[in-house]
């Protein structure tokens, strides 16, 4: 006897995780400045990350584990090259709409962070330099600097696509080695309508 397997997804599985706000209002300019890098970056991309604050109240439970998974969305935004070492883009803290996505209650989205993704070339094996800035720093029009060891540019031998998130400071680095680091600063400024 042949058994047919229905490969059509459930209606719940087809439901979108999130809906984008067609008219977001809370805008922030993000400026990225690269200082002392050992070479250029061909790939420069930015994403704004959002998370649901109340997944247990509105999300879809994983039955086997008995938990509600964290719900996140990374939304790309356009970066404009100002110079070889400076880029600018705009993110919105109200980009995702709070809504009842799974029939369990309204999911409340919050702006979480801004993350950049840089690679020396389009080669996927190149090191991925990933500086970020937290949402609370963005909304307070602040800035954050991350330091990256130049020896990881353009790639780490025997580790394809090595991800590097950077150091917050160089205090733990011996003084004679601090010159081997370059910095990436992300600064935010609120845009008024």
């Amino acid at each position: 006897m042949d058994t047919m397997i229905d490969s059509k997804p459930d209606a719940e599985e087809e439901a979108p995780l999130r809906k984008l706000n067609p008219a977001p209002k809370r805008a922030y300019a993000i400026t990225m400045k690269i200082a002392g890098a050992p070479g250029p970056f061909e790939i420069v991309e930015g994403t704004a990350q959002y998370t649901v604050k109340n997944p247990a109240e509105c999300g879809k439970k994983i039955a086997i584990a008995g938990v509600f998974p964290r719900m996140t969305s990374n939304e790309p935004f356009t970066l404009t090259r100002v110079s070889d070492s400076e880029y600018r883009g705009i993110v919105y803290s109200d980009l995702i709409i709070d809504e009842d996505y799974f029939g369990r209650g309204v999911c409340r989205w919050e702006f979480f962070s801004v993350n950049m993704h840089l690679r020396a070339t389009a080669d996927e094996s190149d090191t991925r330099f990933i500086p970020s800035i937290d949402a609370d720093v963005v909304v307070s029009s602040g800035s954050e600097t991350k330091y990256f060891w130049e020896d990881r540019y353009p790639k780490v031998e025997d580790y394809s696509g090595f991800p590097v998130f950077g150091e917050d400071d160089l205090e733990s680095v011996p003084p004679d080695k601090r010159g081997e680091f370059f910095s990436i600063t992300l600064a935010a400024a609120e845009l008024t309508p």
Side-chain angles (χ1 to χ4, degrees), residues 4-97:
M4 290 192 74
I5 298 173
D6 185 6
S7 62
K8 184 178 177 188
D10 294 334
E12 278 187 33
E13 291 175 343
E14 292 177 0
L17 173 62
R18 53 79 182 135
K19 286 185 186 172
L20 297 180
N21 184 347
K25 294 181 174 39
R26 295 190 302 264
Y28 299 88
I30 304 294
T31 301
M32 178 174 65
K33 291 185 180 179
I34 305 163
F41 291 99
E42 183 180 328
I43 304 298
V44 178
E45 301 168 331
T47 59
Q49 183 177 350
Y50 304 83
T51 62
V52 171
K53 295 190 287 190
N54 61 332
E57 298 167 18
C58 73
K60 188 175 177 182
K61 189 176 189 178
I62 299 175
I64 294 174
V67 297
F68 293 91
R70 183 174 179 212
M71 296 167 55
T72 64
S73 185
N74 290 296
E75 302 297 332
F77 65 95
T78 301
L79 285 167
T80 301
R81 183 177 171 178
V82 177
S83 70
D84 287 344
S85 60
E86 186 173 338
Y87 296 80
R88 289 195 185 125
I90 296 173
V91 298
Y92 297 89
S93 63
D94 59 342
L95 184 63
I96 299 183
I97 297 172

